[in-house]
Amino acid sequence: MRKITADEFSKLLTVGEVAARSGVAVSALHFYETKGLIESHRNRGNQRRYAREVLRRVAVIKVAQRVGVPLAEIHAALKTLPQSRTPTAADWGVLSERWKDDLDARIKRLQNLRDQLDGCIGCGCLSLENCPLRNPWDVLAEEGPGPRLLDPEN
Ligand code: FES
């Protein structure tokens, strides 16, 4: 992050101002900063100040969280943007498209789980062998009985 003058520092936003304008708690902003999602400038007294653009960055983070994107993934996505750049409308278009695909995949997984749960309602066996929710990755079972990996012709 580039060094700024005391005059520039005085024009930046305090964490309280960012919290008030973004609707995000101060503790959450500090958390985002420890995770590298946002950056602040510090003066000699170790006071933090944020560039105005942080508001858009926080908005992107909040929207992504709302659709269930993990923070680590948000961090990775923001890292793909040039250093310190606020996500532009075009950036947001790319990120949201990618996250829509992830969201579609998550919805599909949840729908599958819901359908499997239907078979469990009123059952209670929780059997490793028979319950699809206890053994959700037994996808080979859907191909039929027998050693599917050892005998692909089966
Ligand atoms: S609890 Fe019996 S099939 Fe899931």
Side-chain angles (χ1 to χ4, degrees):
M1 180 172 274
R2 97 180 159 83
K3 286 228 178 251
I4 60 171
T5 66
D7 187 47
E8 287 173 313
F9 187 83
S10 69
K11 292 177 181 150
L12 299 177
L13 301 172
T14 66
V15 70
E17 288 169 329
V18 175
R21 292 186 192 193
S22 66
V24 173
V26 168
S27 58
L29 294 170
H30 287 164
F31 181 70
Y32 291 164
E33 194 166 347
T34 62
K35 295 294 177 190
L37 291 159
I38 60 174
E39 291 180 331
S40 65
H41 293 274
R42 301 209 185 201
N43 65 7
R44 287 193 180 151
N46 209 27
Q47 292 174 314
R48 303 167 204 238
R49 292 290 186 276
Y50 298 85
R52 225 158 270 281
E53 294 76 35
V54 80
L55 294 170
R56 187 170 170 86
R57 209 170 167 90
V58 169
V60 167
I61 295 165
K62 286 310 294 176
V63 170
Q65 280 189 298
R66 187 158 292 146
V67 295
V69 180
L71 278 183
E73 202 172 305
I74 298 170
H75 182 256
L78 291 175
K79 275 270 192 212
T80 65
L81 303 177
Q83 186 68 17
S84 299
R85 180 164 98 193
T86 302
T88 62
D91 293 333
W92 172 243
V94 172
L95 294 178
S96 56
E97 183 68 34
R98 185 164 114 196
W99 289 333
K100 180 185 177 299
D101 291 345
D102 292 345
L103 185 59
D104 286 343
R106 261 200 317 282
I107 288 169
K108 194 165 170 25
R109 272 200 308 277
L110 284 170
Q111 284 173 332
N112 286 341
L113 279 172
R114 182 203 55 206
D115 294 346
Q116 290 172 335
L117 184 63
D118 281 347
C120 294
I121 291 170
C123 175
C125 72
L126 292 173
S127 160
L128 257 182
E129 207 170 284
N130 301 320
C131 177
L133 292 178
R134 284 292 315 274
N135 190 8
W137 294 284
D138 191 11
V139 289
L140 293 176
E142 292 171 9
E143 296 174 11
R148 315 297 304 175
L149 290 176
L150 296 175
D151 184 7
E153 298 299 314
N154 187 3

